[in-house]
Amino acid sequence: MILENLSQLISDISTQPLFYLFSFVIIASAMCVVSLKNIFHSALFLILTLFAVAGIYILLHAEFLAVVQVLIYVGAVSVLIIFAIMLTSRLASKKIEQSNEQVTLGLFICVLFLLASVGSLTYTAWNTVDLPMIEHNILTIGKLLMTRYVLPFEVVSVVLLAALIGAVVLAREEKA
Amino acid sequence: MLQYLALSAILFAIGIFGVLTRRNAVGILMSLELMFNAANINLVVFNRFVGPDNLTGQIFALFVVVVAAAEAVVGLAIVLLLYRNWRGIDIDRINIMKW
């Protein structure tokens, strides 16, 4: 209910300034993620990026996905990453060089990718439709997951189980 | 719609840059999360502007989130294992699988 009110509020006011705010936050903090020397600070900026991506989801009327983003990414994955940084802190927290010598080449490749993708998406004629989004997003997602997408739903649970077992087996202390 | 797609392209390019230039394995995993998020934004944008009468894009974005979480778990377990065996997670030094 709160979410529906929130999205109603957002669609009432103009979304354009909010979009620019969120994308500024996303781009600036993502650049901090890939370029800061202290890896712990980049993890904190990663959390900020993920929050702003959740805001973009709300602008696109994907409220359930925004909540999932905050719960799983901001709540779980970033805590996991911070744990890993803490556990490997002897090398990670020191101000050692965090980038390798391929910075120029990497910059070149990513600018090339950016030019290619932005160019192709401006020259493509998208057949967009101007319909409103489905009402009761969460209800529809739940129904679809239990009917049409029930097989991927079950497969993804097996994937999670495999990841769980794999992580436990990998990270377990070997008793010699 | 184009602005959202451009945003996700920029985010993906930043992720590529991070993957290519980070030396720390955890940094590479964080850049991978950025790229997953860019792909997810794309899915949701196409759901909103191309097919708003169904929710296929959002459901696939959900599956991407789940797979990204599984990837992060296994990747960080591998990072911990590397740290335990090599006393470091510098990707440049981990080359025993190099032929």
Side-chain angles (χ1 to χ4, degrees), chain A residues 16 19 33 36 50 57 65 69 73 90-91 98-102 121 128-129 134 137 149 167 170-171, chain B residues 1-3 20-24 33 37 40 44 49-50 52-53 55-56 68 73 81 83-84 87-88:
Chain A
Q16 206 70 11
F19 170 75
V33 170
L36 279 187
L50 300 172
Y57 288 159
L65 204 56
Q69 170 93 3
Y73 272 117
R90 205 182 312 164
L91 287 142
Q98 293 286 350
S99 308
N100 56 20
E101 57 278 353
Q102 301 166 2
L121 69 88
T128 55
V129 287
I134 297 180
N137 243 326
Y149 296 103
L170 280 176
Chain B
M1 174 179 169
L2 278 185
Q3 48 190 357
L20 287 178
T21 59
R22 273 291 184 197
R23 200 168 257 189
N24 193 324
E33 298 297 329
N37 271 283
N40 260 348
V44 177
F49 291 103
V50 178
D53 49 343
L55 288 173
T56 314
V73 168
L81 199 63
Y83 182 70
R84 205 179 288 149
R87 302 278 103 205

Side-chain angles (χ1 to χ4, degrees), chain A residues 25-36:
Chain A
V25 172
I26 286 176
I27 293 169
S29 55
M31 279 177 175
C32 289
V33 170
V34 297
S35 61
L36 279 187

Side-chain angles (χ1 to χ4, degrees), chain A residues 70-159:
Chain A
V70 173
L71 275 180
I72 293 184
Y73 272 117
V74 182
V77 172
S78 55
V79 169
L80 206 63
I81 286 175
I82 288 176
F83 255 113
I85 290 172
M86 297 286 194
L87 286 172
T88 58
S89 66
R90 205 182 312 164
L91 287 142
S93 73
K94 263 188 288 181
K95 301 257 176 181
I96 52 173
E97 188 59 50
Q98 293 286 350
S99 308
N100 56 20
E101 57 278 353
Q102 301 166 2
V103 172
T104 3
L105 190 63
L107 204 61
F108 177 70
I109 289 176
C110 93
V111 168
L112 210 65
F113 168 80
L114 196 61
L115 285 180
S117 56
V118 171
S120 63
L121 69 88
T122 40
Y123 285 112
T124 308
W126 307 102
N127 47 356
T128 55
V129 287
D130 201 14
L131 290 173
M133 204 62 197
I134 297 180
E135 297 282 319
H136 308 301
N137 243 326
I138 304 174
L139 197 67
T140 320
I141 285 179
K143 276 182 185 161
L144 279 176
L145 278 180
M146 279 296 119
T147 54
R148 192 170 160 197
Y149 296 103
V150 67
L151 183 65
F153 186 70
E154 297 297 332
V155 170
V156 102
S157 65
V158 177
V159 168

